Structures are given as structure tokens and as C-alpha cells.
Amino acid sequence: MANVVVVGAQWGDEGKGKIVDWLSERADVIARFQGGHNAGHTLVIDGKVYKLNALPSGVVRGGKLSVIGNGVVLDPWHLLGEIETIRAQGVEISPDVLMIAENTPLILPIHGELDRAREEAASKGTKIGTTGRGIGPAYEDKVGRRSVRVADLADEATLEARVDRALQHHDPLRRGLGIEPIDRDELLAKLRAIAPGILAYAAPVWKVLNEKRKAGKRILFEGAQGALLDIDFGTYPFVTSSNVIAGQAATGVGIGPGSIDYVLGIVKAYTTRVGEGPFPAELEDEDGQRLGERGHEFGTVTGRKRRCGWFDAVLVRQTCATSGMNGIAFTKLDVLDGFETLKICVAYDLDGERLEYLPTAADSQARCTPIYEEMPGWSQSTEGARSWADLPAEAIKYVRRVEELIDCPVALLSTSPEREDTILVTDPFAD
Ligand code: GDP
């Protein structure tokens, strides 16, 4: 298959970093198509740890083209800082290996300020749990047609006009929240200062990718967050500000949907969620604590402790459908080692009725209680397993039951953070 989309199939933190890195070795181009620098990917290569937020995972592999698509919102100061950090780790980054779509909207300091002020002002229960990095407000400005976009940095008159348009909207909002007015000159000076650094990477990404596609190059589309945080299909309003599901890969870079050959969902062997919002299979007992500790479930960006629960097959079946997954990468199976009994949420009970999907209405979501199926656990370690023969029979049964319940086959199975500790069933790039 020429082009593969990778999408998180839960609430993010499924271990996309490792799988994207694994796949990026087989790809010619790696493209980000949504989100901002709230995504925290951790890559471990030869024992060296790379933490990426805005940069596509391909940058740490030589000889690949990494692309930031127009579906992303870009904080240019953060990006340039991240480039410096990664360079300091010995990775070469130049316009030959990194391209930014000219029509990418920028995240400005005013977006982060607005994001944080709103979260502070929100009362308990209405906080979204954002990372405070301005991503939501930047997407609002994109839809409101008042973004400063990458291409605008090239022309002083356009840049000033775009900034003025944004300020017209933001100043009254800031007054209402008690934030001081924006210093226009300071903002413009900051933008002028980063313009050459960013413009060096600017390109008509849609054109480049269509040419690559015609030339038979393999494109890997790297999703961020997870499908349950999708602005349309997630647990609204506790969601991210962009579409996360696979369809976004096409609009987020400018290729046709028919150019996507394979969609790979990344699925963790249990469930986690950061911040507020419904989570029917959440565990607030010792088992939840144990999953969090064994899985090191703390946010890479925020350091926040993640909420943990058993595997929720209802949710993953749903995200496999909305993204049209062809297969999944099942990760962190090793975290389940040593549990005597495992539970899988197979349906919900809503007011005495069995429901096979998550209802949309918030009050119904809140009333859904999980219906569990129990399976025997295993005492042997699966950590580092590289073939089915290395797995205990109970672990294989667990994986097979998950495939059945979510109606999607396992293409890859991950058993440790190391990229070699992966069992390959189907190579998404294979013809
Ligand atoms: P992302 O947000 O989906 O990209 O998730 P990350 O890449 O941040 O992954 C979360 C963490 O899980 C990282 O520390 C990974 O190294 C780790 N990880 C990934 N796959 C596995 C696995 O199969 N087993 C274990 N134990 N850890 C894993």
C-alpha cells in the first residue's frame, strides 16, 4: 500500500510515537495533518529518547521528508525551539527534510493567553482540560477567517492587515476576561523576527504531496490525539478542536480521499483519558492504580496523571468504524502482565437497556455503566515478546477476543517501548 494513515483509536496516548516511528522507516514522506504542539510523542531509538510535539516523527530518521500540513495549527516560536532541541540531539533538520504548508494557520501568544484565561475562569465541571497552548483559540480563528497564516509572514502589509483583523476580535474578548490589551507593535516585531526561520520551510504542500503520490512514494499520515477527542465524533465538549479521524488526513494536507490506501488504528490494551469528560470503564480502585503505575500513565506534555480503566471494546469498535480502520496496532499488552483476571467492557447498560455504542447525548453518556466480560490473565511476562510463540496462551486469547469485539484485525502488536519489540502480522505498507 502506498499511503497509510495512523490514527489514535482511544483518547490519545495509545503509543502512536513508537508505531509511527516503526512505520516511518518504510515511508518516504511523513505528514502531520491535524492538531498542534499539544501532541506529545515519545520516541526511543537506540536507547535515546526524543520528545516531539510539533515536528512529525519522521525528522529523527534520516532521508525522509517531514511535512506539517495545513490541518495543523502551528506555534512558530515553539517549532523553532523544538528544531533547536532536536538538532542539539544530533539530528539534521533543513528545508530538504522539513516542509510546512503555506496555508497553515499560526498559533499566536494571544491564543495561549486566551486559552489559559478561559480555563481559569471556567467553573468546575466546565473546564475542558486543555493543554493551555492556544490550540483551540487558534482553530477558532481559522474558522472565523482571521488567522495569520504562514504565507502571510512574507509580506509586511498583509501581515499587518492580518494581525489587525485578529486584534479586532481579540481585544474585546481580553477585556471581558481581564487580560491587558495586546501590544500590536510587540506582536508584529515577534512575528517579523521568526518570519525568515519559518518561511525557509514554507511550501505548497498539497502540490508536493500530489507529485510524490504520482511518483509512487509512500506517504505516512501521522495523527495526533485520539478519535474519541475528535471535534465531531468525540465526547463533546471534552474534545480537541480539530477532526482527528482518518478523513482529516485528506483535507489536512490536500490530497483526495481515494489516495489513502490503509488506515491503522493505534489501540492500547486498556483505556486511559487525561482531564475531564465521560469515561464509562474508568477504574477508581487498585486495578486502575496498578494500570497507571505499570503503564507510566502520566502526560508527556502536562505531566498530569491519566485516568485508567479496562479495555473498552465499545468505544474502539466505534472509532474503528468512523475512521474505517483496516487494522490496528495493539500496544502495551505487557502492562496487563500479572493481573489474575482481566475485564473487557463489551456493552453499556443505560437505564436497564443494553447499548452497543456510546450515545451522543451527554446525560446518557454519564449514565452508561460498563457491562464487562471477564477473561483469565497471565502470570508470565510478555514484555519484549517478538513472536506469537513468546506469548502465553491467555494473552493470545485476549488479543483474539479484542479483534472479535472491535471487528478489526491486529496488524501489529507492541510489547515494550522499544521499536523492535513488535509482532508483525500485516505490514500496512505491503502491497
Ligand atoms: P502517543 O501520544 O500515542 O504518541 O503516545 P506516546 O508515544 O507518548 O506513548 C506513550 C508511552 O508508552 C511512551 O512512553 C512509550 O514509550 C510507551 N509505549 C509505547 N508502546 C509501548 C508498549 O508496547 N509497552 C510499554 N510498556 N510501553 C509502551
Side-chain angles (χ1 to χ4, degrees), residues 43 64 108 112 117 134 167 186-187 191 218 230 234 253 255 274 279 286 288 303 306 313 330 343 394 398 401 405 427:
L43 303 180
K64 315 281 176 192
L108 305 176
L167 298 199
E186 189 190 322
L187 178 57
L191 284 164
R218 293 167 154 191
D230 182 274
V253 299
I255 59 148
V274 174
F279 182 171
E286 255 172 46
R306 296 175 185 145
F330 201 47
K343 290 184 186 175
E394 293 81 4
Y398 181 79
R401 184 65 184 136
L405 288 166
D427 181 348

Side-chain angles (χ1 to χ4, degrees), residues 293-410:
E293 278 163 21
R294 285 191 52 87
H296 304 290
E297 296 298 349
F298 299 92
T300 22
V301 173
T302 57
R304 277 184 289 190
K305 195 165 179 275
R306 296 175 185 145
R307 299 155 66 192
C308 296
W310 295 118
F311 184 73
D312 189 332
V314 182
L315 295 179
V316 177
R317 186 163 59 228
Q318 200 158 324
T319 56
C320 280
T322 52
S323 274
M325 309 292 189
N326 297 91
I328 64 160
F330 201 47
T331 66
K332 293 188 133 179
L333 184 71
D334 53 299
V335 173
L336 299 182
D337 291 353
F339 279 94
E340 202 168 308
T341 305
L342 299 170
K343 290 184 186 175
I344 301 178
C345 173
V346 293
Y348 301 131
D349 180 305
L350 178 62
D351 306 331
E353 261 185 59
R354 186 184 167 101
L355 213 58
E356 305 282 344
Y357 68 98
L358 185 71
T360 303
D363 65 317
S364 304
Q365 286 182 352
R367 292 203 310 282
C368 278
T369 55
I371 299 174
Y372 288 120
E373 190 175 287
E374 289 195 4
M375 294 193 77
W378 52 91
S379 52
Q380 303 96 309
S381 166
T382 64
E383 196 184 335
R386 295 182 184 185
S387 79
W388 291 100
D390 295 339
L391 296 178
E394 293 81 4
I396 297 174
K397 272 190 201 143
Y398 181 79
V399 176
R400 294 292 175 230
R401 184 65 184 136
V402 166
E403 286 180 313
E404 239 168 48
L405 288 166
I406 65 171
D407 196 20
C408 190
V410 167

Side-chain angles (χ1 to χ4, degrees), residues 202-224:
V205 153
W206 64 271
K207 189 166 174 292
V208 174
L209 288 192
N210 275 282
E211 283 161 7
K212 294 275 183 201
R213 185 182 61 75
K214 279 192 181 159
K217 300 291 181 200
R218 293 167 154 191
I219 307 173
L220 176 65
F221 296 89
E222 176 182 5

Side-chain angles (χ1 to χ4, degrees), residues 70-135:
N70 55 279
V72 165
V73 283
L74 180 71
D75 181 326
W77 298 275
H78 180 95
L79 180 76
L80 294 176
E82 197 172 311
I83 289 175
E84 282 319 307
T85 307
I86 297 296
R87 265 196 192 131
Q89 288 187 277
V91 176
E92 195 202 320
I93 300 182
S94 71
D96 289 338
V97 296
L98 177 66
M99 263 179 207
I100 307 172
E102 295 164 322
N103 49 344
T104 305
L106 298 183
I107 303 173
L108 305 176
I110 53 177
H111 294 128
E113 287 160 17
L114 187 60
D115 207 354
R116 293 187 292 273
R118 279 176 176 165
E119 282 286 277
E120 257 166 49
S123 53
K124 192 165 163 37
T126 63
K127 283 189 201 300
I128 304 295
T130 78
T131 47
R133 297 190 164 195
I135 289 150

